[in-house]
Amino acid sequence: MLLKTSLRSFLAHKGRMLLSLIAVVLSVAFVSGTLVFSNTATSTFDRLFASTASDLSVRPAKPEIGGEEDARAKARTIPADSVGRIAALPGVKSAIGQIMVQSATLADPAANKRVGPTTGAPTLVGNWVDTPRNPVEITSGHVPQGPGEVVLDADTAKKAKLALGGKLRVITGDKHDFTIVGIATFKTTNPGAALAFVDTATAQNVLLGQGGTYTSVEVFGDGSRTDEQLKSDALAGLGAGFQAKTAAEQKEESAKDVGSFLDFMKYAMLGFAGVSLLVGGFLIINTFSMLVAQRTREIGLLRAVGGSRRQVNQSVLVEALLLGAVGSTLGIGAGLGLAVGLIQLMNAAGMHLDASDLKIGASVFVAGYAVGIVITVLAAWIPARRASKIAPIAALRDHGTPAEPRSNRIRAIIGLVLTAAGAGLLALAAGADKMATGGQYIGLGVLFTLVGFVVLGPLLATTVVRVLGALLPTLFGPSGKLAQRNAMRNPRRTGATAAALMIGLALVIGASVFTSTVIKSTNVQIDRSVGADYIVSAGPTGVSPEIVDAVRRTSGIDHVTEQKFLPAILTTPDGKATEDGISAVTGRFTDDFTLPVKTGAADSLKQGSLAVGEDYAKDHGLKVGDSIKIDYGQGRVQSLPVGVVMKKGNSLFDGSTFAALDTVTKAVPAADQPVAAVAFGKAASGVDVAKTLTALEGALKEYPQASVRDQAGYKELVQEQVNTLLYMIYGLLFLAIVVAVLGVINTLALSVVERTREIGLLRAIGLSRRQLRRMIRLESVVIALFGAVLGTVLGLAWGVTGQRVLRTQGLEALAIPTTTILLTLAASVVIGLLAALIPAFRAGRMNVLAAIATD
C-alpha cells in the first residue's frame, strides 16, 4: 500500500521533480566520471609499467644526500664492464647497457623552437637498444645507425611537425644536430614524455661526456631464479656503489610519480563534486518542501483514512529513494561520458589513454548509488518529517502549512550561535601567531559560518529582500511590488534557494580574494627586494654556463648573478641534522637583492657566512656567529658561521639558506656542481632597460630552452600562473553554480504551480501577461541577488581571514577583487533573469478561467 501510494505520487509529480533529478544526475556523474577516469588512467599506466619494466634494473648507488634525480646535475653512471659481469650471473638471459638522461633539451633547428612537453612531463634522451620489453617500436624509418641519426617518438614529432629526414637538435650545453631517421610509437600509452634515441656510442659521448659508461643495466632473467634472487646475486657480485630494483619495485617507483598527479586530480574533482552535492541537497529540500505544501490536502486525506505519521514520513522518503535511484542510474551513465571527455582532455595534453577501454569497477556503482541515494534521502528527511506532523483536520482546511513561530525562534537561536561561533573562530584564526593553529581555526570557522548562514537564511530573507527589492515598486510598479512581496512571503523557501547559490559564490569570492592577494603580495616583494633587472630561467635543465656567458656578453649588461642549489645535510649546534640544501649565489647577489635582515649583515655572505631564515634560527636556537656544519656528501664537509638571520614573510627567501658560491666551491669543486637553477642580470647604469631586454632575447635565441623576463614580465608570469589556478577553480565550481541555477528555476516553477489560482485571479483583475512575466523575473532576480550578497559576505570573510593566517608565509598585502565582486553581483542578476525564462513563459500561457478553478 505504502509503496503503491509513493510510486503513484512519484509518477504524478515526475515533471516537478525533473530539475531535482538533473541535480542528482550532475552530481553523481561528476563523482562516477572522476572514479572511472582515475581507474582507467591507473590501469593503463599499471599495464605500461608492468609490460616495460625489466626483471632487474641495476643503477648507480643512491647518493648519500639528495637522492632524487636532478636534471641540473650530472648524470650518475656505472662502468660498461658491469654489463658483462651481470650477464655472467646464473639465471640471467640478457643484460643490456642503457643510457637515459633528463638534462638534454630538444629543439627544431629550423624554427629554433623547443621541442617537447610543456605540461611538466620530462624530456628523455638515450641510446636505442632492443630489449624484450621495449616501451616503443619503430613504426616508420629505422633505428639510429650512426653519429648523425636520431629516432623521435611519434607524439612529439606530430606536435612539432617533424618528419623523417627533418633535423632535430639535442642541446646538452653544446648543440648537436641530428637527422630524424625513425619514428617510434608507444606500445601501450605515452605518459606525456618526449623521447629521443641515438646510437650507444653517440649517447655516451654527447649525453654523458665519456665512453664506456651507462646510466643503468637492464637485466632479463631466464626464469630459473626470482627477481629478488637476481637482485641479491647482482649486488653481491658488483660490490659497493650500486643499487638494484626488481620489476615490482620499478613499477611501484614509476606508479608513484604518475599516481601522485592522478590522486591530486581525483581528490580535487571529488571535492568540488561534494560542493555540488551540497548545493543539490538544498534543491532537493526545496522540491520536497514545496511538494509537501502543495499536497497538504492529499496528505490530510491519507491521515484521515488511517495513515499514520510514520507511513506519511516513509511515503515521502520512498519518493526520495526512487528519485535518488533513477538519478544515480542516469548519473553513472552520464559519468561514463564525462570520463571519456576527461580522457580526451588528457590526450590533448599529451597523455594518451584509450577511451574504448574504460575501467568501470564495482566502486563506481557503489559510490554513485551511495552518493545519489543517501544525499537525496537525507535532503528529503526534513520535508518528510514536516509532512508527518500535518494534522488531518488542519490539512483538510488549509492549502499550506505556515511556519511555526516557535520553530522560527529555535532557528534564530541556533543560527546566531553557529554564526557567532564561526565569526569568533575566524577572528582567532586571523590573530593566530602560527599558521598551523590559524589553519585549524579557519577550517572550523568556515564550517560554522556556512552552516550558520544556511540556518539564518530564511530569517535574513525578509529583511535583506526588502532592502534589495526596495526600488522595484518604484521602477516597475505593481509587478515590482508583487515580486518583492512574493520573495518575502515564504522566507524558508527563499532562504533555501538562495543558500544553494550562496555556497558556490562564496567559494568563488574567497578564491578570488586569495589569488588577488598572492599576486599583490608577490609584486610588493619583488618591488622591495629585487634589484636585478632580468630573470633568466631554463626549466628543469637549469641555466647552463653557455647561457650565462651569452647573457654576460650582451651589450648593456653590467653583471650576472647565478643561483645554484646543492643538496646538503645541515647540523646545527643543538645536534640536530636536517637534510635540506644550500642556495649558492655569486658575489653580487646582495647587490641585486635586498635581504630582509632581522639580525646580522647581508654583506657577511661575501666573507663566507650563511644567511638563514627566522623560523630555522628559532627552531634550532641559532644566532649570528653560531657555526653550522654542512655535509655535501662524498666526504665534502665545511663549517660556516651564521652571518644574517632573515625575517620570515618574504616568499623569495623563506625556507632558503644562502651561501656565497665561492665559499661553497672550497668544499665542492666547480666541476661537480650542478648548473645554475636561475640567473639574474643587472643592466649597466644609464642604459635603456627595454632595449637591453630586446638584446638579451636576441642573444638567447640560440638557446630555445631559456627564457628571459624583466621585472614586469616576471610579475605577469606570476599572475598568469595564479590565474590558471583560479580559472581551474572557477571551472570546477561551475557545476555547483549550474545546480544552484537549477534550484532557482525549480523554486520558481513549483511556485508558479503552487500559485496557479492566485495567478489566475491576478490576470482576472487586470494584470497583463507581460506584467506577470516581469513579476516572476524580478522575483528570481531578487532571490539570486540575495544569495549573491550572502555569498559575497561569506567569501570576503573567508578570504580576508585566509590572508591573515598566511601573512607570515608571504601573503602580506591584502587585495580585495572589487571587479570580481561587481561582476559576481551582475552575474547573479543575469542568473536570475535566465532562471526565470521558463517559469515566466509557462505562467504567461496559463488559461485564466482554468487557473481560477484550480483547487
Side-chain angles (χ1 to χ4, degrees):
M1 175 68 179
L2 175 65
L3 180 61
K4 187 181 293 185
T5 302
S6 299
L7 188 58
R8 285 180 176 176
S9 177
F10 180 81
L11 295 175
H13 301 104
K14 57 182 179 295
R16 302 180 189 182
M17 291 191 178
L18 179 61
L19 295 179
S20 292
L21 180 68
I22 293 174
V24 176
V25 169
L26 289 175
S27 300
V28 172
F30 215 69
V31 172
S32 59
T34 299
L35 293 177
V36 170
F37 166 75
S38 177
N39 292 345
T40 302
T42 301
S43 173
T44 300
F45 286 114
D46 283 346
R47 290 201 312 273
L48 169 66
F49 301 141
S51 63
T52 59
S54 60
D55 294 329
L56 187 69
S57 179
V58 180
R59 311 169 187 176
K62 181 180 178 181
E64 304 169 37
I65 301 169
E68 295 295 330
E69 194 69 36
D70 187 350
R72 297 188 298 268
K74 289 185 176 181
R76 291 178 285 118
T77 60
I78 56 179
D81 62 5
S82 303
V83 177
R85 293 163 64 187
I86 295 172
L89 295 173
V92 174
K93 184 177 181 180
S94 61
I96 300 170
Q98 190 170 71
I99 298 168
M100 192 64 70
V101 301
Q102 298 185 37
S103 56
T105 300
L106 302 180
D108 178 359
N112 205 28
K113 289 185 178 180
R114 185 175 181 174
V115 172
T118 57
T119 56
T123 294
L124 303 173
V125 185
N127 65 325
W128 177 270
V129 287
D130 289 317
T131 71
R133 299 174 197 155
N134 203 324
V136 295
E137 59 184 350
I138 301 292
T139 53
S140 180
H142 59 80
V143 300
Q145 298 171 347
E149 298 181 347
V150 68
V151 169
L152 185 64
D153 76 272
D155 297 317
T156 303
K158 182 179 179 180
K159 287 181 183 178
K161 298 180 181 179
L162 295 173
L164 291 178
K167 294 294 183 180
L168 182 70
R169 177 171 293 167
V170 178
I171 304 173
T172 58
D174 296 328
K175 306 181 190 69
H176 307 273
D177 287 349
F178 296 88
T179 300
I180 300 173
V181 298
I183 299 296
T185 303
F186 280 85
K187 295 178 181 178
T188 304
T189 184
N190 181 355
L195 294 184
F197 301 93
V198 295
D199 67 274
T200 297
T202 302
Q204 289 173 332
N205 293 327
V206 171
L207 303 177
L208 303 181
Q210 57 182 334
T213 56
Y214 298 102
T215 56
S216 70
V217 177
E218 304 304 319
V219 184
F220 299 89
D222 59 13
S224 63
R225 297 177 72 79
T226 66
D227 291 352
E228 288 294 340
Q229 289 174 325
L230 288 175
K231 177 179 178 179
S232 177
D233 293 344
L235 292 178
L238 293 171
F242 298 88
Q243 62 173 322
K245 292 184 181 292
T246 63
E249 291 169 336
Q250 294 174 63
K251 178 183 174 183
E252 182 182 357
E253 180 182 47
S254 300
K256 182 179 179 182
D257 296 333
V258 176
S260 59
F261 166 73
L262 293 177
D263 284 346
F264 169 78
M265 188 172 180
K266 178 174 75 172
Y267 292 124
M269 293 180 66
L270 288 178
F272 286 101
V275 174
S276 68
L277 283 170
L278 180 62
V279 172
F282 287 105
L283 193 160
I284 295 167
I285 290 173
N286 250 11
T287 299
F288 279 94
S289 294
M290 297 179 75
L291 289 177
V292 165
Q294 292 169 19
R295 291 161 50 196
T296 300
R297 181 165 293 180
E298 175 190 326
I299 293 171
L301 285 170
L302 282 175
R303 292 294 311 281
V305 297
S308 65
R309 286 187 173 186
R310 181 179 180 185
Q311 287 176 314
V312 170
N313 185 300
Q314 290 177 345
S315 174
V316 176
L317 292 180
V318 168
E319 290 183 48
L321 180 64
L322 291 171
L323 175 67
V326 174
S328 297
T329 302
L330 296 176
I332 291 173
L336 299 182
L338 176 63
V340 171
L342 289 172
I343 287 173
Q344 296 301 329
L345 183 64
M346 290 296 102
N347 288 348
M351 185 181 289
H352 286 194
L353 303 173
D354 187 1
S356 64
D357 188 25
L358 297 179
K359 297 301 177 183
I360 311 168
S363 61
V364 175
F365 292 96
V366 171
Y369 280 108
V371 164
I373 292 175
V374 170
I375 291 296
T376 307
V377 172
L378 284 177
W381 179 79
I382 296 175
R385 185 170 173 271
R386 195 177 300 148
S388 68
K389 292 184 177 182
I390 296 175
I393 300 301
L396 292 173
R397 289 175 180 171
D398 295 330
H399 191 68
T401 54
E404 299 177 10
R406 181 172 178 272
S407 67
N408 282 342
R409 287 196 299 272
I410 295 173
R411 176 186 285 269
I413 293 171
I414 294 174
L416 287 171
V417 169
L418 288 172
T419 304
L425 287 166
L426 292 179
L428 288 174
D433 293 329
K434 293 184 177 179
M435 184 186 69
T437 305
Q440 294 173 348
Y441 284 141
I442 194 174
L444 291 173
V446 167
L447 177 63
F448 275 72
T449 50
L450 176 62
V451 176
F453 266 55
V454 169
V455 174
L456 282 177
L459 303 177
L460 293 172
T462 302
T463 303
V464 177
V465 168
R466 180 179 286 112
V467 174
L468 292 175
L471 293 177
L472 294 183
T474 304
L475 295 176
F476 301 101
S479 297
K481 187 170 186 178
L482 287 170
Q484 183 191 36
R485 295 288 178 86
N486 285 335
M488 294 166 53
R489 181 166 62 178
N490 194 327
R492 179 176 288 172
R493 181 191 307 157
T494 299
T497 305
L501 199 57
M502 173 191 76
I503 295 171
L505 294 182
L507 292 172
V508 167
I509 297 296
S512 298
V513 171
F514 173 76
T515 52
S516 298
T517 298
V518 169
I519 293 170
K520 183 177 180 180
S521 297
T522 302
N523 290 345
V524 168
Q525 290 168 5
I526 291 173
D527 291 337
R528 184 174 60 220
S529 303
V530 181
D533 295 302
Y534 313 104
I535 298 97
V536 181
S537 59
T541 57
V543 182
S544 66
E546 291 79 8
I547 295 175
V548 174
D549 287 341
V551 174
R552 189 176 284 117
R553 291 195 305 268
T554 302
S555 175
I557 292 295
D558 181 71
H559 64 268
V560 177
T561 295
E562 298 177 63
Q563 182 174 344
K564 298 183 177 184
F565 181 80
L566 286 81
I569 295 177
L570 277 63
T571 305
T572 48
D574 59 2
K576 295 179 181 178
T578 55
E579 186 170 338
D580 194 351
I582 294 292
S583 288
V585 292
T586 48
R588 301 295 293 271
F589 179 76
T590 52
D591 299 331
D592 292 339
F593 289 86
T594 303
L595 295 182
V597 177
K598 182 178 178 66
T599 57
D603 281 344
S604 62
L605 262 69
K606 298 177 181 179
Q607 282 77 51
S609 296
L610 293 172
V612 301
E614 180 180 355
D615 284 339
Y616 184 78
K618 183 178 180 181
D619 291 341
H620 298 281
L622 293 172
K623 61 183 183 298
V624 172
D626 289 344
S627 181
I628 297 178
K629 177 184 175 184
I630 306 171
D631 184 354
Y632 301 99
Q634 299 181 339
R636 295 162 173 166
V637 180
Q638 64 181 172
S639 294
L640 300 176
V642 173
V644 58
V645 175
M646 299 177 291
K647 294 178 184 176
K648 63 181 179 180
N650 190 317
S651 58
L652 299 176
F653 306 106
D654 284 349
S656 297
T657 300
F658 293 96
L661 183 58
D662 289 343
T663 303
V664 172
T665 303
K666 295 176 182 177
V668 182
D672 294 334
Q673 295 173 7
V675 299
V678 65
F680 306 94
K682 179 67 176 178
S685 178
V687 304
D688 188 314
V689 176
K691 288 183 178 179
T692 304
L693 175 62
T694 303
L696 272 174
E697 291 170 341
L700 294 178
K701 276 187 178 180
E702 294 297 315
Y703 305 93
Q705 74 272 33
S707 64
V708 58
R709 295 175 183 268
D710 58 10
Q711 288 194 22
Y714 187 72
K715 291 176 183 178
E716 290 175 3
L717 176 64
V718 172
Q719 185 167 345
E720 289 171 5
Q721 293 172 339
V722 172
N723 283 342
T724 299
L725 172 64
L726 182 62
Y727 296 148
M728 183 179 70
I729 293 173
Y730 284 171
L732 292 171
L733 284 175
F734 179 73
L735 176 64
I737 301 296
V738 168
V739 175
V741 172
L742 290 177
V744 178
I745 297 173
N746 190 59
T747 298
L748 291 173
L750 293 178
S751 177
V752 167
V753 174
E754 185 181 80
R755 290 161 19 205
T756 299
R757 176 183 287 181
E758 174 190 320
I759 290 171
L761 290 171
L762 287 172
R763 290 292 315 284
I765 62 175
L767 193 70
S768 67
R769 286 185 176 180
R770 182 179 179 184
Q771 288 176 314
L772 175 63
R773 289 170 179 163
R774 180 183 294 167
M775 175 191 77
I776 293 173
R777 286 196 298 269
L778 292 175
E779 180 182 349
S780 176
V781 168
V782 169
I783 292 173
L785 268 176
F786 175 48
V789 168
L790 294 185
T792 300
V793 172
L794 273 182
L796 284 173
W798 298 346
V800 171
T801 305
Q803 183 270 330
R804 294 298 302 163
V805 170
L806 296 171
R807 66 189 183 280
T808 60
Q809 306 302 310
L811 298 190
E812 57 181 286
L814 176 66
I816 303 297
T818 308
T819 302
T820 301
I821 293 172
L822 293 176
L823 286 174
T824 300
L825 294 174
S828 68
V829 174
V830 176
I831 287 172
L833 291 172
L834 293 176
L837 288 178
I838 296 176
F841 179 76
R842 290 184 60 187
R845 289 174 58 88
M846 279 186 184
N847 182 285
V848 177
L849 294 177
I852 294 173
T854 300
D855 186 11

